[in-house]
Amino acid sequence: MGDIAKGVFSGAWALLVGWIVPASLNLSVFVLAVVPTLRRDAAVVRWWPGPQVKVSLLLLVGSVLVGLVLHALQNPLYRVLEGYALWPDPAYGWGCRRQLRVKHGLRDRIAALRLEQRVREGRVGADAAVRLARLRSSPDVARHTRRDRRRSTVQKALLQEGLSRYPVSDEQVAPTRLGNAIRRLEEYGYERFRLDTQVMWHELTGCASDQTRRQVELARTRVDFFVALLYGHGVVALCALAALLSSRPQQGVLLTSASVLIALMPVWYWSAVKATDEWAASVRSLVNLGRKPLAESLGYSLPLQLEAERTMWTLVCRLSRLPYHERAVALDQYRACTPPPPPPP
């Protein structure tokens, strides 16, 4: 009973912090900035609740309802920000090419800094010198060379942090920063072990420890919070601009509110991108610690050799994703040996 209550409260906390709290903040801004103008309009006054209904009660009920709706729509909301939905093909292709240039630029800048360090230490050969000259001739690297050389050790580590927010494979690059930041954590299990976490997610989380699952959930909640704020700010800003068309608008308040909300939207977007670092770390922990329990729960024995393990997970994921094929019998070699049942007394 205690485990059930713990699971319920855990899910309620993610819903509350990730979606209901930002919905409450956005509705509060709407009530303070837009509602005073709307209540001047005769058409709105006829439908507005009487004085017997408290605004705080409406705000509470509205926050819960809006938060529940946003939580139910989180997948399409994320897909728009990641660049997978409502993006025309030309915009999608342009975004992918742009993000790929950014990724390669960060990679080349980091490589140039490392090679320059080796040159100063006298640990560079002819091939490395040629590569360093080629990197310095790159426009993306040359544009940042002087500033990169002045960076401290911590600032150079921030370059690596930025590169880590992209998937390893260029084929997995998405058209937006948030899409790439999320794609790198989706790619981790497959790139390292050929364990497709997108296919085996429920099995993997079902076998992981409560603490590991909790870490993933809390890390995801931080990203949800900023995504909900971003969408809410956009909706409230549109409402403020639309309220300018009413009969007696408070233009100063509406324009200021809309401007501030629109200016904050990139801040929340970048905050969501940064928050994916903790999410990626928790998913990495989930994959690293959950592979063995997952294999045992499925009736397999985790091979000692890494290449053999990658082959096993490839077959397991293929069996889960595709219809059965005779080649799936190759999994028999990885089945755990179960001891024979004890003889009857």
Side-chain angles (χ1 to χ4, degrees), residues 123-157:
R123 299 185 298 107
V124 64
D127 294 341
V130 172
R131 185 187 176 198
L132 177 58
R134 185 172 65 252
L135 288 173
R136 286 173 174 172
S137 64
S138 171
D140 292 334
V141 176
R143 186 167 59 251
H144 301 280
T145 297
R146 183 175 300 178
R147 186 176 61 181
D148 287 344
R149 288 172 178 169
R150 294 196 301 265
R151 289 178 178 268
S152 64
T153 303
V154 176
Q155 290 174 324
K156 292 177 182 177

Side-chain angles (χ1 to χ4, degrees), residues 67-113:
L68 290 173
V69 171
L70 291 175
H71 181 265
L73 296 174
Q74 58 180 306
N75 284 340
L77 294 178
Y78 266 94
R79 286 185 173 275
V80 173
L81 295 179
E82 292 177 85
Y84 300 141
L86 302 182
W87 280 62
D89 290 340
Y92 182 89
W94 175 84
C96 289
R97 291 190 297 271
R98 181 177 180 274
Q99 291 299 315
L100 201 57
R101 286 196 302 269
V102 174
K103 176 190 174 184
H104 290 171
L106 287 171
R107 181 196 61 192
D108 293 343
R109 289 166 62 188
I110 294 171
L113 288 173

Side-chain angles (χ1 to χ4, degrees), residues 298-315:
L298 294 175
Y300 303 111
S301 179
L302 203 64
L304 298 178
Q305 295 79 21
L306 180 59
E307 188 60 34
E309 181 184 349
R310 288 163 64 92
T311 302
M312 186 197 78
W313 287 124
T314 299
L315 294 172

Side-chain angles (χ1 to χ4, degrees), residues 31-32 38 106 228:
V31 169
L32 293 174
L38 297 180
L106 287 171

